[in-house]
Amino acid sequence: MRTRANYGVVGSVATANLSGGGIYTSFDQQILKKTQNWLGVPGNPTIGTATGIGGGSATVSFTAPTSTGGGISFYTVTSNPGNITATGSSSPITVTGLTSGVSYTFTVQAVNTFGTSLPSGSSNSVITTNAPNSLTVLVVAGGGGASGYSGGGGAGGLLYGTYSVSSGVGYTVTVGAGGAAAENSNSIGSNSVFATATAKGGGGGGSPVWATGAPQTWQTGGSGGGSAYSSSSSEPSTGGSATQGNSGGLTGYGNNGGGGINGALGSAGGGGGAGQAGFTSTNSTISAKGGDGLQYDISGTSTYYAGGGGGGGYGSATPGAGGLGGGGTGAGNGSPGTVNTGGGAGGAFGSSGSGTGGSGIVIISYPSTYDAAVSTTGSPTVSVSGGNRIYKFTSSGSITF
């Protein structure tokens, strides 16, 4: 005769009676049946919704059966066609390895120690794609400009990291312009954007109070602009602050600009770079170097981006070198940051600088085993290198996978 021990622990009934041994009474059995916890094969689950998520995958949702047969070990989802299976302990379950362009439906079965349930009903049909669901993204904003007798322009803010995407969705790309050679807020570079991630334009290099009639107040940006050389104690001897933070799940990089020498004629500070702060002048005859940017191989070639501009100044001071990553060198009329690097402009040694910040760039990369983008605008350069599919945007547009 079967005892309670034969049946195992089932809810409160078996827990209460197991230690006493003996058989299940008809009363016990009635309770087990009423609570639908009679030991055996579980009931079949109720199918929910199947959703294609790209990458040859789909998620399948379902509702657990009321009758568990004493406890469900796991669930199995099966595709039709192909009989591709995936298991999980709860809803939803992701099925991988599906073929792009094929229409699939799915069923779910519950499994326990007594066996496997009947299949659920069939799900809705989905056509999967082999679109990527995760990208590596570099976003660099426009670098800051530099004007007469100014510090170096700050580099555009830089964002880098992994970004999750969905098939069939269009993602906006904005490539920021470099800041103008101006003694006001126009010297700040323009933002670059991918979807929800925003890189901030670089801060313009500061000009002396005597040249502008106003204190240097426009130096902040993705990386801060360098301070002008200082002819009086009323001018700041530190550069502009960096304002770039993390955005859209990507990690942000930016650094402060360097300062000029307070009370000395001649040398100005370097603009901040993505990887290094702008240098501060320590000698009135040598202007400071711009901070270096950061190096990535996302384009297929290892390249520096977002270098700060070198400091300008007055008289016979030696110009400051631009930072690695497109930072312009300090020069007679200033020198521009390199296009599509986000480099800051080099400061000028004359009263009218012409150094504009380098324009920004957005680069997207993912394994080439995934399908190419369904559509793009903005004419990105498309290439395959090192096993990756690469989209390089040098002007604004969009991309859909």
Side-chain angles (χ1 to χ4, degrees):
M1 184 176 292
R2 304 197 71 177
T3 68
R4 292 186 176 93
N6 292 143
Y7 282 94
V9 177
V10 181
S12 60
V13 175
T15 301
N17 293 286
L18 181 61
S19 61
I23 64 171
Y24 275 112
T25 66
S26 60
F27 177 73
D28 290 336
Q29 294 174 17
Q30 289 171 22
I31 293 177
L32 290 171
K33 289 180 179 179
K34 186 174 182 179
T35 59
Q36 301 189 55
N37 277 328
W38 186 250
L39 296 181
V41 176
N44 52 300
T46 301
I47 195 65
T49 302
T51 305
I53 57 173
S57 303
T59 59
V60 180
S61 65
F62 56 90
T63 302
T66 304
S67 177
T68 66
I72 294 173
S73 302
F74 60 89
Y75 297 90
T76 300
V77 177
T78 304
S79 74
N80 181 30
N83 291 321
I84 299 168
T85 62
T87 59
S89 60
S90 62
S91 174
I93 293 174
T94 299
V95 184
T96 62
L98 304 175
T99 301
S100 178
V102 173
S103 178
Y104 290 95
T105 61
F106 303 90
T107 57
V108 184
Q109 292 172 283
V111 181
N112 69 8
T113 56
F114 294 95
T116 301
S117 74
L118 293 173
S120 67
S122 294
S123 72
N124 57 292
S125 61
V126 294
I127 297 176
T128 63
T129 66
N130 194 34
N133 47 35
S134 181
L135 314 173
T136 300
V137 180
L138 172 71
V139 185
V140 183
S147 58
Y149 307 111
S150 74
L158 184 150
L159 295 170
Y160 184 81
T162 301
Y163 196 97
S164 296
V165 293
S166 299
S167 59
V169 177
Y171 295 91
T172 301
V173 176
T174 303
V175 176
E183 296 173 345
N184 51 43
S185 60
N186 291 333
S187 63
I188 298 174
S190 297
N191 296 346
S192 288
V193 180
F194 175 74
T196 61
T198 300
K200 296 184 178 182
S207 296
V209 170
W210 61 265
T212 64
Q216 301 177 55
T217 58
W218 47 80
Q219 300 175 62
T220 61
S223 281
S227 172
Y229 80 90
S230 301
S231 58
S232 72
S233 59
S234 65
E235 298 194 54
S237 58
T238 58
S241 299
T243 59
Q244 184 64 62
N246 298 342
S247 179
L250 304 181
T251 303
Y253 300 91
N255 285 284
N256 296 342
I261 299 179
N262 216 20
L265 293 176
S267 58
Q276 186 180 44
F279 287 78
T280 293
S281 296
T282 58
N283 186 317
S284 63
T285 63
I286 302 174
S287 290
K289 175 183 177 298
D292 289 337
L294 291 171
Q295 187 177 28
Y296 298 96
D297 61 2
I298 186 173
S299 67
T301 303
S302 187
T303 305
Y304 277 93
Y305 300 92
Y314 181 77
S316 59
T318 301
L324 293 174
T329 300
N333 289 320
S335 61
T338 303
V339 297
N340 300 133
T341 66
F349 278 74
S351 59
S352 58
S354 58
T356 55
S359 54
I361 193 168
V362 175
I363 303 177
I364 298 163
S365 174
Y366 59 89
S368 58
T369 51
Y370 294 102
D371 293 343
V374 173
S375 65
T376 61
T377 63
S379 301
T381 300
V382 184
S383 62
V384 176
S385 176
N388 292 310
R389 202 178 300 278
I390 301 161
Y391 293 81
K392 184 188 296 185
F393 285 85
T394 56
S395 59
S396 298
S398 65
I399 188 167
T400 303
F401 300 101

